[in-house]
Amino acid sequence: MGFWKNLFNGTGGTAIATADSALGVSTQVIGEAANPRAKAGIESRITFRKDRNIDLYELEELCDAVGWSRRPLRKVKKAIEHSFLVVTMWEVRGNYRRMVGFSRATSDHAFNATIWDVVIHPDFQSRGLGKALMQNIVRELRREDISNITLFADPQVVKFYQGLGFKPDPEGIKGMFWYPNSRY
Amino acid sequence: MGFWKNLFNGTGGTAIATADSALGVSTQVIGEAANPRAKAGIESRITFRKDRNIDLYELEELCDAVGWSRRPLRKVKKAIEHSFLVVTMWEVRGNYRRMVGFSRATSDHAFNATIWDVVIHPDFQSRGLGKALMQNIVRELRREDISNITLFADPQVVKFYQGLGFKPDPEGIKGMFWYPNSRY
């Protein structure tokens, strides 16, 4: 798919399983970016991963940092297990690593995917990393031959997603949510 | 959940696994309705099921009947396998049975579900059966403790879903679709 070539700048070609010494588990790094918070003299980078070696408390902290309501960890764990794809973003400096972004998608593994829970730590917002996270998740879904990639966007992020090629209400198609007490 | 009591008229209380002599497999009937095409003297009904004993050619015929583009059966099979819930609607007359409705939902098994591919055979449209099919799928999702039930509605069916308690763009949330060539 030559179409991806420029977009991803060759960084995310093939998923690379790496032995991660800090975690003691194999990780799947799918992309990299420069760390906008890098300090002179310290090797530092941003990596994108699609393994599910996620500390639920660390994820909760990340969601706290953007002001999301807390959710039961038992359900968060189940949701991650049953997501088709999970892409996380990490700040890596030597042996130090910290999860600074998260997103996941549900899917029927064939036609449709829906992206949920896109979160970027405030320290890393407005630096192009939300865009990079989304590009990684879209690329992985395309690689799995998913043709219909969807999401539900809060009003303040509609423009952000438009900039990434997502269209609101295409051909008049409406996103709808069921409300328990709206009619009954 | 008393809230469901009137809505479903007591027909879909507990999923019943029944030995289906025609199919030779166990089926899970989750609801029933009167058959609007019933003929005098012939016992006839509409049943709703959540098993996946689906003949893919029969499903293709149903989708043909409403004018949908054909999709590779291999992918349809995969999508059904990886859907969280599949609800089908059947016309049953004695030993004769025919699939006259279909719907399915993807989910993370915890928070979110998205309903796809809602189809009702033209012979059975405008008789309240689309509504009954949707009520069955929503009820099953609620039973699984899914709090966020979503769908993407074509413009001509937005009102239909509104009548069932679905709201378009609640709090300004926009359904968005990714288009490969829209920006790149």
Side-chain angles (χ1 to χ4, degrees):
Chain A
M1 293 199 292
F3 141 76
W4 289 111
K5 211 169 158 186
N6 295 325
L7 181 57
F8 297 106
N9 213 12
T11 56
T14 309
I16 309 149
T18 58
D20 187 310
S21 58
L23 288 162
V25 290
S26 82
T27 61
Q28 285 181 286
V29 175
I30 57 169
E32 281 198 8
N35 184 357
R37 287 162 50 89
K39 287 174 190 135
I42 302 167
E43 202 204 337
S44 172
R45 63 194 195 281
I46 299 291
T47 61
F48 298 91
R49 290 179 8 199
K50 65 171 186 174
D51 59 82
R52 311 210 179 175
N53 303 316
I54 296 163
D55 178 328
L56 294 177
Y57 295 99
E58 191 176 6
L59 176 58
E60 191 172 61
E61 256 179 50
L62 175 59
C63 296
D64 282 353
V66 295
W68 288 7
S69 319
R70 287 212 170 176
R71 300 183 290 185
L73 289 189
R74 175 189 58 79
K75 288 194 83 171
V76 172
K77 182 171 182 280
K78 194 174 179 189
I80 290 173
E81 282 167 3
H82 293 282
S83 291
F84 176 60
L85 176 66
V86 175
V87 175
T88 50
M89 185 171 90
W90 300 76
E91 182 187 27
V92 182
R93 274 189 274 131
N95 284 330
Y96 168 86
R97 61 206 59 225
R98 168 193 181 198
M99 185 163 59
V100 295
F102 177 90
S103 67
R104 63 187 180 90
T106 50
S107 176
D108 56 19
H109 300 208
F111 301 110
N112 308 307
T114 311
I115 299 170
W116 306 98
D117 296 350
V118 178
V119 51
I120 303 282
H121 192 282
D123 293 349
F124 292 82
Q125 289 179 9
S126 309
R127 296 160 187 265
L129 292 173
K131 184 178 174 181
L133 178 66
M134 288 302 297
Q135 286 170 335
N136 273 280
I137 198 163
V138 168
R139 186 191 62 225
E140 292 298 317
L141 292 171
R142 295 281 292 174
R143 189 172 277 159
E144 296 287 345
D145 204 21
I146 303 297
S147 46
N148 189 32
I149 302 174
T150 63
L151 55 79
F152 296 97
D154 284 324
Q156 68 276 18
V157 287
V158 167
K159 281 212 171 118
F160 165 73
Y161 290 117
Q162 278 182 306
L164 288 164
F166 286 85
K167 283 190 192 170
D169 302 346
E171 298 170 53
I173 296 170
K174 276 284 172 198
M176 301 184 82
F177 288 66
W178 189 76
Y179 281 73
N181 297 311
S182 54
R183 296 284 298 185
Y184 307 112
Chain B
M1 293 197 292
F3 140 77
W4 288 111
K5 210 169 156 186
N6 296 325
L7 181 57
F8 296 107
N9 214 11
T11 55
T14 309
I16 309 148
T18 58
D20 187 309
S21 58
L23 289 163
V25 288
S26 83
T27 62
Q28 284 182 287
V29 174
I30 56 168
E32 281 199 9
N35 183 356
R37 289 163 48 89
K39 288 174 189 137
I42 301 167
E43 202 204 339
S44 173
R45 65 191 193 282
I46 299 291
T47 61
F48 298 91
R49 289 177 11 198
K50 65 170 185 175
D51 59 82
R52 311 212 178 174
N53 303 315
I54 296 164
D55 178 328
L56 294 177
Y57 295 99
E58 191 176 7
L59 176 58
E60 190 172 61
E61 256 180 51
L62 174 59
C63 295
D64 282 353
V66 294
W68 288 6
S69 318
R70 288 211 170 176
R71 299 184 290 186
L73 290 189
R74 174 188 59 80
K75 288 195 83 171
V76 172
K77 182 171 181 282
K78 195 174 179 188
I80 289 173
E81 281 167 3
H82 293 282
S83 292
F84 175 60
L85 177 66
V86 176
V87 174
T88 50
M89 185 171 90
W90 301 77
E91 181 186 27
V92 182
R93 272 188 277 129
N95 284 330
Y96 169 85
R97 63 204 59 223
R98 168 192 181 199
M99 184 163 58
V100 295
F102 177 91
S103 67
R104 64 188 178 90
T106 49
S107 176
D108 56 20
H109 299 209
F111 302 109
N112 309 306
T114 311
I115 299 169
W116 305 98
D117 296 351
V118 178
V119 49
I120 303 282
H121 192 283
D123 294 349
F124 292 82
Q125 288 178 8
S126 310
R127 296 158 188 267
L129 292 173
K131 183 178 174 179
L133 178 66
M134 288 302 298
Q135 286 169 335
N136 273 279
I137 197 162
V138 168
R139 187 191 60 225
E140 292 298 318
L141 292 171
R142 294 282 292 174
R143 189 173 277 158
E144 297 287 345
D145 203 22
I146 303 296
S147 47
N148 188 31
I149 303 174
T150 63
L151 54 80
F152 296 97
D154 284 324
Q156 69 275 17
V157 287
V158 168
K159 282 215 169 114
F160 165 74
Y161 289 117
Q162 277 183 305
L164 288 163
F166 286 86
K167 283 190 192 169
D169 303 345
E171 299 170 51
I173 296 169
K174 277 282 173 199
M176 301 186 82
F177 288 66
W178 188 75
Y179 280 74
N181 297 311
S182 54
R183 296 284 297 185
Y184 308 112

